[in-house]
Amino acid sequence: MKNYHTHTTRCGHATGTDAAYVKAALKAGYTELGFSDHSPMIFPNPDEYYSNFRMKVEDAADYARSVRALQEEYKDEIKIFLGFELEYYPELFEETEQFLSQFDYDFLILGQHFIGNEYEEGASYNGSASDNPLLFDRYISQTLDGLATGKFLYLAHPDLFNWTGDEKTYINKMTYFCREIKKLGIPIEFNMLGFYDNRNYPDKRFWKIAAEVGNDVVIGIDAHTPTAFRRKLLLKIAQKYLSDLGITPLDGLKIKRKKD
């Protein structure tokens, strides 16, 4: 088993030591573990605005050192990767990615939580209930722009946008979204945290569309606590959920570690 969506306490809403995640993954039978904590962002005025769900800029070096040390310590037992879950904010992306590149990360996953650049007036959280088709379009276009950079391994929780409007609009827009993602050749994530917490995602409407379009799918634990790896029964339920829709998740993804 392989998981590339793992957080640490640096994001401010996860628990457990970095080593505890590795030990839990090993015990659960995982052979590959990607750390992908919420990336710091280079906001223009961090003293005025800095979001509270991601690591601070000053914590990134410690994060990278810790994951690289665990790679070495557990090299004979499990393959560990250094990654970040990053937003695509047009005004901030280039500078933020350049900042991250100094740590020789192995991969990025796109987690598009906000429309806009987050700190600006008019930015909105994509998990908030909405029947505004313009916001829906902005979520889709901004996410696709992010994926088109070629920097991302996969798209986390692609069904995060919490549409509460009519069914036809959802189906039309998400069909377009899935088709464009497939053209880019980028996998989408079935998110186990949302499944466990009974959030608005995974959304079965979305996954029916993904099955019809034929998107590549990965299962992401989205671990915010080491105990997330213990939920083997839930994982089997998720696998059956996807199987019933005709989806067979990818066994793993090809990642080349920068330190190898």
Side-chain angles (χ1 to χ4, degrees):
M1 292 191 295
K2 299 163 187 178
N3 173 61
Y4 309 105
H5 198 165
T6 312
H7 294 274
T8 76
T9 56
R10 296 170 188 82
C11 69
H13 58 280
T15 61
T17 66
D18 299 349
Y21 285 92
V22 176
K23 292 174 182 177
L26 270 171
K27 190 172 182 179
Y30 283 80
T31 58
E32 293 187 5
L33 178 67
F35 279 92
S36 49
D37 204 3
H38 291 285
S39 168
M41 298 295 299
I42 310 299
F43 289 108
N45 296 298
D47 291 337
E48 297 178 13
Y49 179 86
Y50 201 91
S51 52
N52 60 5
F53 69 94
R54 67 181 77 256
M55 74 173 76
K56 304 291 186 183
V57 170
E58 57 267 27
D59 291 336
D62 176 70
Y63 170 68
R65 281 194 298 267
S66 176
V67 174
R68 292 302 185 197
L70 290 168
Q71 280 182 338
E72 181 63 25
E73 182 178 354
Y74 290 92
K75 64 183 179 181
D76 296 328
E77 300 174 76
I78 187 171
K79 187 171 281 190
I80 297 172
F81 301 95
L82 170 64
F84 294 90
E85 180 180 4
L86 179 61
E87 315 277 342
Y88 178 70
Y89 296 155
E91 295 298 320
L92 310 179
F93 182 74
E94 185 175 350
E95 186 178 359
T96 298
E97 195 279 325
Q98 287 177 354
F99 168 78
L100 297 178
S101 67
Q102 70 182 292
F103 304 114
D104 289 328
Y105 63 78
D106 300 319
F107 71 97
L108 300 174
I109 60 176
L110 176 58
Q112 196 65 42
H113 296 91
F114 280 84
I115 292 168
N117 295 296
E118 187 182 330
Y119 63 94
E120 298 170 321
E121 185 177 352
S124 62
Y125 174 58
N126 290 315
S128 298
S130 174
D131 61 359
N132 185 335
L134 295 179
L135 288 181
F136 204 168
D137 286 342
R138 288 182 63 196
Y139 166 71
I140 289 171
S141 63
Q142 187 168 339
T143 302
L144 290 175
D145 285 347
L147 295 177
T149 65
K151 296 291 186 179
F152 294 100
L153 181 68
Y154 75 70
L155 174 60
H157 38 66
D159 45 347
L160 173 63
F161 193 85
N162 190 4
W163 176 252
T164 56
D166 66 281
E167 194 80 359
K168 184 178 180 180
T169 296
Y170 187 88
I171 292 170
N172 288 343
K173 292 185 183 300
M174 283 306 201
T175 298
Y176 167 78
F177 190 36
C178 285
R179 286 174 177 167
E180 292 301 306
I181 294 170
K182 186 177 180 180
K183 287 178 186 177
L184 291 168
I186 296 174
I188 55 177
E189 177 200 73
F190 184 89
N191 187 276
M192 290 298 297
L193 178 60
F195 197 54
Y196 173 75
D197 278 351
N198 196 30
R199 299 182 180 183
N200 68 285
Y201 62 93
D203 188 315
K204 197 160 190 174
R205 299 173 298 176
F206 176 88
W207 292 101
K208 285 180 179 178
I209 294 166
E212 292 170 2
V213 171
N215 293 93
D216 287 333
V217 175
V218 295
I219 293 178
I221 300 298
D222 198 356
H224 285 74
T225 172
T227 58
F229 291 98
R230 298 180 191 169
R231 299 167 187 155
K232 294 184 178 181
L233 177 59
L234 188 72
L235 182 59
K236 288 182 179 179
I237 294 171
Q239 289 168 335
K240 185 177 186 307
Y241 178 104
L242 291 171
S243 178
D244 287 347
L245 293 172
I247 296 173
T248 302
L250 299 174
D251 181 49
L253 298 171
K254 292 182 180 180
I255 307 173
K256 182 172 177 56
R257 292 188 298 190
K258 300 286 180 64
K259 292 296 185 179
D260 287 346

